[in-house]
Amino acid sequence: MDAVFLQILNGLDKGAAYALIALGLTLVFGTLGIVNFAHGALFMLGAFCAVTFNKMLLISTKILDPTVTLFKAYKEKPYLEIWFPDVGPVLVDYSVPLSILLAIPVMLLIGFILERGLIKHFYSRPHADQILVTFGLAIVIQELIKAVFGANPIPQGAPDILAGSAAVGSWIGLGENVVYPWWRLIYLSFSGIIIFGVFAFLQFTTYGMVVRAGMRDRETVGLLGINIQKRFTIVFSLATAVAGLAGVMYTPILPPDYHMGMDFLVLSFVVVVVGGMGSLGGAVLAGFLLGIVQSFASMTEVKAILPGIDQIIIYLVAVIILLVLPRGLMGRAGVMDD
Amino acid sequence: MKIGTMNDLTRFLIFAVVILAMPVWLDPLGGNYPDLLQKFAIYGIFAIGFNILFGLTGYLSFGHAAFLGVGSYAAVWSFKLFTMNAIPALMFGVLFAGALALIIGFLSLRRSGIYFSILTLAFAQMSYNLAYSVLTPITNGETGLQLAQSDPRVIDNMFVEASAGLPSTNLFGLTMSGYPGFYFCAALLILGFFISMRIFRSPFGLMLKGIKSNQNRMMYTGLNTRPYMLTAFVISGMYAGLAGSLLAITDPLAGAERMQWTASGEVVLMTILGGVGTLVGPMIGAGLIKYFENIFSAFNDTVLAEMFSYLPDALVELVVPVVGLFVGSGWHLTLGLLFVVVVIFLPGGIVEGVDKLVKFIRNREKNVGGKVTPQDQPGE
Amino acid sequence: MNDLVLHLDNIQKNFGGLSALSDVNLQVEEGTTHAIIGPNGAGKSTLLNVCIGRLKPDAGHVTFYGEELTGRKPHEIAQMGVARVFQTPEIFPEMSLLENVMLPAFSKRDGAFSMNAHKLLSRQGDIRDEAEHILEDVGLQEQMMTEAGSLSRGDKRRLELGMCLILKPRLLLLDEPTAGMSRHDTNSTIDLLKKIKSRGMTKVIIEHDMHVVFSLADKVSVLARGQIIAGGTPEEVREDPKVKEAYLGGAH
Ligand SMILES: Nc1ncnc2c1ncn2[C@@H]1O[C@H](COP(=O)(O)OP(=O)(O)OP(=O)(O)O)[C@@H](O)[C@H]1O
Ligand SMILES: [Mg+2]
């Protein structure tokens, strides 16, 4: 029982990342009709927002090292710590959550530029063209990041206060050994809030109503004379920001590198397809589900019986679901129903 | 240009001559290295085969690298177990790739459109992950599958004593590296082109075009589209397997990275760059990409600094890093940009671009008062 | 009865809450032209969809020369000899007219699937002749080499008719074959359909144009809100007060 619960917990944080990426993919696909193969790259860009922010905080200058008295020694000291000796180190410690402040405007802007500059020309082009152009875009983003930040993963730390693990087990009356890192718990709650926010936005604002109507029947909404173009731009930027935030907060869990985007993209597409193309709820559900399934497949007991299963389980599940339930878990008829 | 109206025999002969003469005309262009020439031919085969699926039926597979990889592994195993002769290696490569394509195709073709693309991608990633993990006994994991002195090579050993040092791949004694290797690949490329041309011109090809154009009409005309699609998928998988085995024949090792999605993406790019659904387009695309990859990857900052040495120093310092982004190890960035640019501005690829240009020039001549030429059939 | 080509037996089809067809019975006899008329949204196209296997009925059976059609795949039904001209033309827009007509000819000759990759299209003289002949029949032989997508709506319809005729179907279903045609083209289509009739081909035709119905139909069934409300010879139907109310009066 404890082991099972632990695996579920372990699956949840990865599942949360899948769910957030898949949510944006679905939003863009459902509303704009665009199959965005660059969405994973946006997740990766978010992660590198955190890296950049951290680097900015640590911009340093050389100062005389007072501890060395024999000769003049210099050491690097961040300006931040020189200027604000009290707050500075705290800011550095909290750089990951704080970089959200940077990521939101940056990602919104990137989304805006991409939609206006590229994506909007592809609304009426075939899906194959959309896949191709966004695939090219993904390569471009990925290679740019590689050129700037190098090929190696850049670890990012969670705030010190969140270093250990939460005794989740004893909270709910399970064994003592059911523990869960605090940061993952934070990530999970954070994803929950974002997902809730997106759904609330779609459900309760008039704006969201139009988007939902658009997902159901794009042409009619267009015919009603609603300015679809502007809304498309906003939806795309929103999806970009969601992917970016998912990336920012994921950095303490997985040190970001330039190809993490593609790794996650392939899986997220699988998630979207499993959830049902165009179904937001399906995307979220499938994201968590596949995260958990993957976590179970990585158990040593399971791997002993089915070696290698952890490597392919998601794809396997996707293939089976697609063949058995062609529309995915929650797909509606008529959406991409060819 | 008469690309559109050229008769097929002429087209085929020109193709064959151009390919066989590559060492001659690529020499002034700095492309006359056997290794590079082999790559042209091999990736030409890969792209021509991919085009039979994507160009004719419109089904965009993102998993063809899996077949390339399987072709390589099968060929290397043939070297290890049986003989260093290229022919069995090639047959095993094609056979195994075809078998895998049959399985993946059977499952993936139950869906179409973007679902199909994602299913093929999923299967390819699955193969890639397996090659790196459980299948290590077969694939030798990250190190890649290589020849070893202790390999059984049963057939070879029946005839000759094993010599010291690794044997090299051969075609009944003719070593398959350098120019002989290229001509072997070129011969197969020409054969592959011929078969592809025949498929394009056959009732079978017409059916595939029909599937791309209007599946409903196909169904209600009494045609079962599934087996047509599956056949096309398997054929293109076999081309990929052939290309993969040739990679191993010219350089006997096989690694899982050949199966990665980037490799699948590359063949897609080759095809669209040259011209999807055209006969020669994929070859042109494959050639151009491999050519520029070769040239661009060779650059490094020192070379660049020399190239721009005529500029003032301050400018050099600015230009070199910027250009450096796109060459050398940054070649992939150029590739990505090329991808985007081609899809946006030249969806029909180079072949269509040339056709348009020709039409444009011809129309201008006409307006100037040249004699009126009858409208050509839509370009190839 | 053996000369019954098409028999719809208590067909029921619902879309969600909407009952598109309810208890529809229809019998089409060999060699006749059976017209189905009815206001917009009556379920006429749905009825044809059920016949060709595009939709599965919720209840009831469709038989064709006594053989069950329900549950069969569309291409099987087509191979049995049922062809359909759609309300919005289903053609191959990127191909030439000639190719558009040759393709079904291969389906007729080689069946649902044939591995004919080793043959050359240019060597299929007989098929080409046949295709040219059909294009002549539908009056499109001069545009043989043009791309089908560039045709006018009326011409696309005629092309599609040609594509069906080359299949030599035992039953031809036509969904508003003259919609979007000029008076002149409509008349030539009527003539063409009469010519086919004289060859004994059984047809079901959906039409809004009463001129077409009265020139071609032996029998007329009237469909309104998913139900057959009247049937008989064109004259009988014209006099039926229910029809006037539901269709002629209501819609026009
Ligand atoms: N696939 C479908 N899903 C849901 N509803 C459908 C579907 N096809 C048809 N309908 C509905 O069923 C009813 C009958 O449609 P149908 O197309 O058969 O009418 P029709 O008689 O052919 O009309 P028209 O003269 O306009 O062609 C309509 O209300 C239509 O909206
Ligand atoms: Mg209708």
Side-chain angles (χ1 to χ4, degrees), chain B residues 92-110:
Chain B
F92 278 115
V94 171
L95 215 68
F96 275 89
L100 185 68
L102 188 67
I103 299 170
I104 295 186
F106 178 78
L107 294 170
S108 307
L109 285 167
R110 298 170 149 255

Side-chain angles (χ1 to χ4, degrees), chain C residues 15-16 18-21 38-47 49 55 87 175-176 206 208 223:
Chain C
F15 293 119
L18 176 87
S19 168
L21 296 174
N40 287 97
K44 305 181 296 295
S45 301
T46 306
L47 190 138
N49 284 340
L55 293 173
Q87 195 165 350
D175 201 341
E176 306 190 15
I206 291 175
H208 284 297
L223 197 64

Side-chain angles (χ1 to χ4, degrees), chain A residues 35 118 125 131-132 135 137 139-140 143 147 262 269 273 277 307-308 311-312 315 319 322-323 326 336 338, chain B residues 62 107 110-112 114-115 118-119 125-126 129 133-134 261 268 325 332-333 336-337 339-340 343-344:
Chain A
V35 182
L118 184 68
R125 300 264 296 257
I131 293 179
L132 294 172
F135 180 74
L137 179 66
I139 298 178
V140 171
E143 292 299 320
M262 217 26 118
F269 249 114
V273 170
M277 206 83 195
Q311 299 289 323
I312 57 166
Y315 304 109
V319 167
L322 265 192
L323 297 178
M336 277 301 298
D338 52 335
Chain B
F62 252 97
L107 294 170
R110 298 170 149 255
R111 313 287 293 132
S112 62
I114 153 173
Y115 286 103
I118 291 169
L119 274 175
Q125 282 300 96
M126 223 185 318
N129 287 352
S133 56
V134 220
W261 56 265
V268 179
L325 265 183
H332 280 109
L333 179 60
L337 275 177
F339 221 122
V340 175
V343 179
I344 296 176

